[in-house]
Amino acid sequence: MEKLIFISNDDGFEAAGINQLAEMARDFGDVFIVAPDSGRSGASMSISSHSPVRNTFIKHEEGTDTRGSLTVWSCTGTPNDCTKMAFEKLLPRRPDLVLGGINHGDNCAVNAHYSGTMSIALEGCIKQVPSIAFSSGKTAKDADFSYMKREVRKLIKIALEQGFPLGVCLNVNAPDTEETKGMRICKMGLGEWHEEWQERDHPWGGKYYWIAGYYAPYDKNDEESDTWAYENGYVAVTPLQLDMTAYSFLEQLEKSIQ
C-alpha cells in the first residue's frame, strides 16, 4: 500500500506553497489535502467551536507508477479544523505523515506559537503521526519554492523511514534566497513582537484597529537559534515538543509550596 501523506496550510488551498509541496510529496506516496478556503494566517491552534464548518471536494488525480495520487478538499475553518476534520471524516486511512505549508513567510522562533502552519504539525504530533511544518521567507503569491526541494525531500524521507519520537515534530524555515547554505539543526529563538495598533476611521462610523509591528529577537547573535540560522542563509530545522512542562522549575516550585 502506498504511503499516505496529509497536507494542510494557513494560506488557502489555492496557494502556491501548498501546491508545490504536494507535488514534491507525491514522489513518496498518495497526497491528501484539506486546506482552508482562504487565508487563515495567525490562527495558531484555534478551532471553529462557535460556527459550523463546511468542506468542498475540489479534485482527485490518479497516481502513476512513479507518483502517488492527489486529492484536494477545501474547508471553511481554521488549519486545525482542517486537520481534525481530515483525520475524523475525510482521510481514507490513517496517514503516515502530516505536513504543513509551504507557508508564505517564516515561522521562526516564538512565532511558531502563533502560526496556523505550525498548528498542523502540532495536531499531527498529538495524533502520534510524524509531522513537519515548512515555511519560507518568500511571501509573494506566485513564489517559486523549488529551491527548498532538496531539504523537503530529505526530511520527508527521514520522517517516513525513521519517524520521530512521540510528542516531537519539526519546524522548518527556509530563508528568502535563491540558494541556501544547507540545513542547520537549531533551538527555538526567543524574542517578542513590538506591536503597533494603528487606529483608523471606519467608513460606517467609529474606529477600528489594524495590528502592525516588527519582531525582535532577544539575542540576535545567538548562533544556536533558528532565527540566526534563517537570517544567515540556512534552512533552520527545529525539533519542537508538545510537552510544555518546565522541568527545571518543578523541584523549586515543589519546595516553595510545601
Side-chain angles (χ1 to χ4, degrees), residues 16-241:
I18 194 171
N19 286 285
Q20 292 178 44
L21 178 59
E23 290 305 307
M24 297 176 196
R26 288 180 74 179
D27 292 336
F28 296 88
D30 295 328
V31 169
F32 200 105
I33 291 175
V34 183
D37 58 354
S38 59
R40 299 289 193 281
S41 293
S44 187
M45 294 289 287
S46 64
I47 56 175
S48 300
S49 58
H50 300 292
S51 58
V53 175
R54 299 185 302 277
N55 287 310
T56 302
F57 175 74
I58 303 300
K59 66 177 178 179
H60 174 78
E61 295 179 10
E62 295 292 339
T64 67
D65 292 338
T66 57
R67 287 167 59 77
S69 63
L70 173 65
T71 303
V72 181
W73 288 74
S74 73
C75 174
T76 60
T78 68
N80 208 10
D81 288 331
C82 294
T83 308
K84 288 178 175 292
M85 178 70 76
F87 269 80
E88 301 301 327
K89 292 292 184 181
L90 299 175
L91 283 164
R93 60 186 185 277
R94 188 173 181 81
D96 300 283
L97 178 63
V98 170
L99 302 178
I102 297 171
N103 191 63
H104 294 236
D106 79 276
N107 283 303
C108 289
V110 296
N111 295 301
H113 290 291
Y114 305 108
S115 167
T117 302
M118 196 67 234
S119 79
I120 298 154
L122 290 170
E123 186 65 33
C125 195
I126 289 172
K127 298 184 182 305
Q128 300 187 351
V129 176
S131 302
I132 309 172
F134 291 104
S135 301
S136 167
K138 295 182 182 295
T139 58
K141 288 185 177 181
D142 60 349
D144 180 4
F145 299 103
S146 60
Y147 77 111
M148 295 176 60
K149 186 173 183 179
R150 178 180 59 186
E151 288 80 9
V152 169
R153 288 178 55 84
K154 185 169 186 177
L155 291 172
I156 289 177
K157 189 172 187 292
I158 291 171
L160 290 174
E161 293 182 355
Q162 301 177 25
F164 302 143
L166 290 181
V168 173
C169 58
L170 299 184
N171 182 21
V172 181
N173 289 277
D176 181 1
T177 181
E178 294 306 312
E179 186 174 351
T180 70
K181 296 179 181 178
M183 288 189 286
R184 188 179 176 102
I185 307 304
C186 310
K187 68 179 183 181
M188 174 187 277
L190 298 178
E192 64 179 302
W193 277 90
H194 295 266
E195 283 95 0
E196 300 169 356
W197 290 90
Q198 299 174 359
E199 183 179 284
R200 303 179 183 180
D201 294 319
H202 197 284
W204 295 349
K207 303 288 186 180
Y208 71 95
Y209 296 86
W210 191 267
I211 187 171
Y214 63 94
Y215 176 78
Y218 293 146
D219 182 1
K220 65 174 68 174
N221 297 314
D222 183 0
E223 296 186 10
E224 295 181 357
S225 72
D226 51 2
T227 303
W228 185 93
Y230 170 84
E231 291 183 348
N232 284 273
Y234 294 93
V235 176
V237 180
T238 307
L240 301 181
Q241 61 185 20

